[in-house]
mmCIF file of all heavy atoms in Angstrom:
data_model
loop_
_atom_site.group_PDB
_atom_site.id
_atom_site.type_symbol
_atom_site.label_atom_id
_atom_site.label_comp_id
_atom_site.label_asym_id
_atom_site.label_seq_id
_atom_site.Cartn_x
_atom_site.Cartn_y
_atom_site.Cartn_z
ATOM 1 N N LEU B 47 -49.801 -61.526 24.951
ATOM 2 C CA LEU B 47 -50.578 -62.188 25.986
ATOM 3 C C LEU B 47 -51.932 -62.630 25.427
ATOM 4 O O LEU B 47 -52.341 -63.777 25.558
ATOM 5 C CB LEU B 47 -50.784 -61.212 27.146
ATOM 6 C CG LEU B 47 -51.215 -61.738 28.505
ATOM 7 C CD1 LEU B 47 -50.263 -62.796 29.013
ATOM 8 C CD2 LEU B 47 -51.288 -60.581 29.493
ATOM 9 N N LEU B 48 -52.629 -61.708 24.804
ATOM 10 C CA LEU B 48 -53.876 -62.040 24.138
ATOM 11 C C LEU B 48 -54.253 -60.932 23.167
ATOM 12 O O LEU B 48 -53.649 -59.864 23.180
ATOM 13 C CB LEU B 48 -55.018 -62.314 25.123
ATOM 14 C CG LEU B 48 -55.194 -61.396 26.324
ATOM 15 C CD1 LEU B 48 -55.795 -60.072 25.909
ATOM 16 C CD2 LEU B 48 -56.099 -62.060 27.363
ATOM 17 N N LYS B 49 -55.227 -61.235 22.322
ATOM 18 C CA LYS B 49 -55.604 -60.288 21.284
ATOM 19 C C LYS B 49 -57.104 -60.395 21.023
ATOM 20 O O LYS B 49 -57.717 -61.463 21.187
ATOM 21 C CB LYS B 49 -54.842 -60.578 19.993
ATOM 22 C CG LYS B 49 -55.118 -61.964 19.431
ATOM 23 C CD LYS B 49 -54.176 -62.307 18.290
ATOM 24 C CE LYS B 49 -54.446 -63.739 17.819
ATOM 25 N NZ LYS B 49 -53.451 -64.203 16.828
ATOM 26 N N TYR B 50 -57.673 -59.263 20.596
ATOM 27 C CA TYR B 50 -59.046 -59.250 20.118
ATOM 28 C C TYR B 50 -59.023 -58.847 18.647
ATOM 29 O O TYR B 50 -58.568 -57.750 18.294
ATOM 30 C CB TYR B 50 -59.914 -58.268 20.907
ATOM 31 C CG TYR B 50 -61.282 -58.137 20.286
ATOM 32 C CD1 TYR B 50 -62.223 -59.141 20.440
ATOM 33 C CD2 TYR B 50 -61.604 -57.047 19.471
ATOM 34 C CE1 TYR B 50 -63.465 -59.055 19.828
ATOM 35 C CE2 TYR B 50 -62.838 -56.956 18.861
ATOM 36 C CZ TYR B 50 -63.759 -57.967 19.034
ATOM 37 O OH TYR B 50 -64.979 -57.882 18.413
ATOM 38 N N LEU B 51 -59.518 -59.751 17.816
ATOM 39 C CA LEU B 51 -59.588 -59.467 16.383
ATOM 40 C C LEU B 51 -61.035 -59.278 15.951
ATOM 41 O O LEU B 51 -61.365 -58.350 15.210
ATOM 42 C CB LEU B 51 -58.940 -60.592 15.587
ATOM 43 C CG LEU B 51 -57.487 -60.924 15.960
ATOM 44 C CD1 LEU B 51 -56.958 -62.071 15.106
ATOM 45 C CD2 LEU B 51 -56.597 -59.694 15.815
ATOM 46 N N SER B 52 -61.892 -60.191 16.376
ATOM 47 C CA SER B 52 -63.320 -60.117 16.043
ATOM 48 C C SER B 52 -64.030 -61.183 16.857
ATOM 49 O O SER B 52 -63.406 -61.961 17.583
ATOM 50 C CB SER B 52 -63.543 -60.353 14.549
ATOM 51 O OG SER B 52 -63.160 -61.667 14.198
ATOM 52 N N GLY B 53 -65.362 -61.215 16.752
ATOM 53 C CA GLY B 53 -66.109 -62.269 17.417
ATOM 54 C C GLY B 53 -66.382 -61.963 18.876
ATOM 55 O O GLY B 53 -66.673 -60.820 19.237
ATOM 56 N N SER B 54 -66.279 -62.981 19.715
ATOM 57 C CA SER B 54 -66.567 -62.827 21.141
ATOM 58 C C SER B 54 -65.732 -61.717 21.743
ATOM 59 O O SER B 54 -64.515 -61.638 21.519
ATOM 60 C CB SER B 54 -66.290 -64.140 21.878
ATOM 61 O OG SER B 54 -66.396 -63.941 23.278
ATOM 62 N N THR B 55 -66.369 -60.882 22.521
ATOM 63 C CA THR B 55 -65.662 -59.733 23.091
ATOM 64 C C THR B 55 -64.798 -60.114 24.284
ATOM 65 O O THR B 55 -64.012 -59.306 24.758
ATOM 66 C CB THR B 55 -66.658 -58.640 23.517
ATOM 67 O OG1 THR B 55 -67.596 -59.209 24.453
ATOM 68 C CG2 THR B 55 -67.410 -58.092 22.319
ATOM 69 N N LEU B 56 -64.943 -61.334 24.776
ATOM 70 C CA LEU B 56 -64.124 -61.812 25.893
ATOM 71 C C LEU B 56 -63.069 -62.755 25.336
ATOM 72 O O LEU B 56 -63.378 -63.756 24.705
ATOM 73 C CB LEU B 56 -65.001 -62.534 26.915
ATOM 74 C CG LEU B 56 -64.276 -63.013 28.185
ATOM 75 C CD1 LEU B 56 -63.797 -61.810 28.997
ATOM 76 C CD2 LEU B 56 -65.190 -63.889 29.022
ATOM 77 N N VAL B 57 -61.821 -62.405 25.558
ATOM 78 C CA VAL B 57 -60.724 -63.247 25.079
ATOM 79 C C VAL B 57 -59.895 -63.700 26.267
ATOM 80 O O VAL B 57 -59.767 -62.991 27.267
ATOM 81 C CB VAL B 57 -59.836 -62.500 24.058
ATOM 82 C CG1 VAL B 57 -60.592 -62.304 22.764
ATOM 83 C CG2 VAL B 57 -59.361 -61.165 24.596
ATOM 84 N N GLU B 58 -59.343 -64.898 26.142
ATOM 85 C CA GLU B 58 -58.604 -65.481 27.251
ATOM 86 C C GLU B 58 -57.221 -65.929 26.798
ATOM 87 O O GLU B 58 -57.024 -66.293 25.638
ATOM 88 C CB GLU B 58 -59.373 -66.687 27.813
ATOM 89 C CG GLU B 58 -60.746 -66.335 28.354
ATOM 90 C CD GLU B 58 -61.528 -67.555 28.815
ATOM 91 O OE1 GLU B 58 -61.090 -68.687 28.544
ATOM 92 O OE2 GLU B 58 -62.576 -67.362 29.452
ATOM 93 N N SER B 59 -56.289 -65.911 27.747
ATOM 94 C CA SER B 59 -54.963 -66.428 27.467
ATOM 95 C C SER B 59 -54.801 -67.775 28.154
ATOM 96 O O SER B 59 -55.613 -68.165 28.997
ATOM 97 C CB SER B 59 -53.888 -65.453 27.961
ATOM 98 O OG SER B 59 -53.835 -65.472 29.375
ATOM 99 N N ILE B 60 -53.717 -68.466 27.828
ATOM 100 C CA ILE B 60 -53.524 -69.797 28.388
ATOM 101 C C ILE B 60 -53.085 -69.748 29.841
ATOM 102 O O ILE B 60 -53.160 -70.727 30.543
ATOM 103 C CB ILE B 60 -52.483 -70.597 27.577
ATOM 104 C CG1 ILE B 60 -51.151 -69.841 27.521
ATOM 105 C CG2 ILE B 60 -53.008 -70.877 26.176
ATOM 106 C CD1 ILE B 60 -50.043 -70.638 26.876
ATOM 107 N N ASN B 61 -52.628 -68.596 30.311
ATOM 108 C CA ASN B 61 -52.143 -68.535 31.694
ATOM 109 C C ASN B 61 -53.095 -67.774 32.607
ATOM 110 O O ASN B 61 -52.669 -67.180 33.587
ATOM 111 C CB ASN B 61 -50.746 -67.922 31.740
ATOM 112 C CG ASN B 61 -50.676 -66.587 31.039
ATOM 113 O OD1 ASN B 61 -51.671 -66.101 30.513
ATOM 114 N ND2 ASN B 61 -49.506 -65.975 31.044
ATOM 115 N N GLY B 62 -54.387 -67.792 32.295
ATOM 116 C CA GLY B 62 -55.380 -67.302 33.230
ATOM 117 C C GLY B 62 -55.804 -65.856 33.081
ATOM 118 O O GLY B 62 -56.700 -65.390 33.783
ATOM 119 N N PHE B 63 -55.181 -65.104 32.188
ATOM 120 C CA PHE B 63 -55.611 -63.724 31.946
ATOM 121 C C PHE B 63 -56.807 -63.704 30.993
ATOM 122 O O PHE B 63 -56.958 -64.589 30.159
ATOM 123 C CB PHE B 63 -54.474 -62.900 31.328
ATOM 124 C CG PHE B 63 -53.405 -62.488 32.305
ATOM 125 C CD1 PHE B 63 -52.275 -63.266 32.471
ATOM 126 C CD2 PHE B 63 -53.546 -61.336 33.047
ATOM 127 C CE1 PHE B 63 -51.287 -62.888 33.373
ATOM 128 C CE2 PHE B 63 -52.562 -60.943 33.949
ATOM 129 C CZ PHE B 63 -51.434 -61.722 34.105
ATOM 130 N N GLU B 64 -57.624 -62.690 31.129
ATOM 131 C CA GLU B 64 -58.710 -62.467 30.185
ATOM 132 C C GLU B 64 -58.886 -60.969 29.990
ATOM 133 O O GLU B 64 -58.509 -60.168 30.854
ATOM 134 C CB GLU B 64 -60.018 -63.085 30.668
ATOM 135 C CG GLU B 64 -60.574 -62.471 31.939
ATOM 136 C CD GLU B 64 -61.903 -63.067 32.363
ATOM 137 O OE1 GLU B 64 -62.144 -64.258 32.089
ATOM 138 O OE2 GLU B 64 -62.692 -62.339 32.967
ATOM 139 N N ALA B 65 -59.425 -60.607 28.842
ATOM 140 C CA ALA B 65 -59.685 -59.201 28.556
ATOM 141 C C ALA B 65 -61.013 -59.104 27.834
ATOM 142 O O ALA B 65 -61.387 -60.005 27.080
ATOM 143 C CB ALA B 65 -58.565 -58.603 27.705
ATOM 144 N N GLU B 66 -61.704 -58.022 28.065
ATOM 145 C CA GLU B 66 -63.003 -57.823 27.440
ATOM 146 C C GLU B 66 -63.010 -56.537 26.632
ATOM 147 O O GLU B 66 -62.681 -55.460 27.132
ATOM 148 C CB GLU B 66 -64.111 -57.783 28.483
ATOM 149 C CG GLU B 66 -65.502 -57.733 27.867
ATOM 150 C CD GLU B 66 -66.581 -58.230 28.806
ATOM 151 O OE1 GLU B 66 -66.343 -58.238 30.037
ATOM 152 O OE2 GLU B 66 -67.657 -58.603 28.316
ATOM 153 N N PHE B 67 -63.400 -56.673 25.382
ATOM 154 C CA PHE B 67 -63.512 -55.531 24.491
ATOM 155 C C PHE B 67 -64.880 -54.885 24.686
ATOM 156 O O PHE B 67 -65.914 -55.553 24.578
ATOM 157 C CB PHE B 67 -63.352 -55.987 23.040
ATOM 158 C CG PHE B 67 -63.695 -54.938 22.014
ATOM 159 C CD1 PHE B 67 -63.113 -53.677 22.065
ATOM 160 C CD2 PHE B 67 -64.586 -55.217 20.985
ATOM 161 C CE1 PHE B 67 -63.417 -52.717 21.117
ATOM 162 C CE2 PHE B 67 -64.893 -54.264 20.036
ATOM 163 C CZ PHE B 67 -64.314 -53.015 20.096
ATOM 164 N N ASN B 68 -64.875 -53.612 24.996
ATOM 165 C CA ASN B 68 -66.122 -52.870 25.148
ATOM 166 C C ASN B 68 -66.096 -51.716 24.150
ATOM 167 O O ASN B 68 -65.420 -50.712 24.355
ATOM 168 C CB ASN B 68 -66.260 -52.344 26.578
ATOM 169 C CG ASN B 68 -67.624 -51.725 26.833
ATOM 170 O OD1 ASN B 68 -68.141 -50.976 25.997
ATOM 171 N ND2 ASN B 68 -68.219 -52.026 27.976
ATOM 172 N N LYS B 69 -66.837 -51.890 23.067
ATOM 173 C CA LYS B 69 -66.782 -50.915 21.987
ATOM 174 C C LYS B 69 -67.354 -49.563 22.405
ATOM 175 O O LYS B 69 -66.805 -48.514 22.070
ATOM 176 C CB LYS B 69 -67.527 -51.446 20.763
ATOM 177 C CG LYS B 69 -67.348 -50.595 19.519
ATOM 178 C CD LYS B 69 -68.002 -51.242 18.312
ATOM 179 C CE LYS B 69 -67.767 -50.389 17.065
ATOM 180 N NZ LYS B 69 -68.388 -51.003 15.868
#
Side-chain angles (χ1 to χ4, degrees):
Chain B
L47 197 56
L48 43 75
K49 61 190 177 187
Y50 173 75
L51 304 179
S52 64
S54 172
T55 57
L56 184 66
V57 290
E58 299 176 350
S59 72
I60 57 173
N61 53 0
F63 284 93
E64 65 178 31
E66 186 157 21
F67 170 53
N68 188 317
K69 189 175 182 180

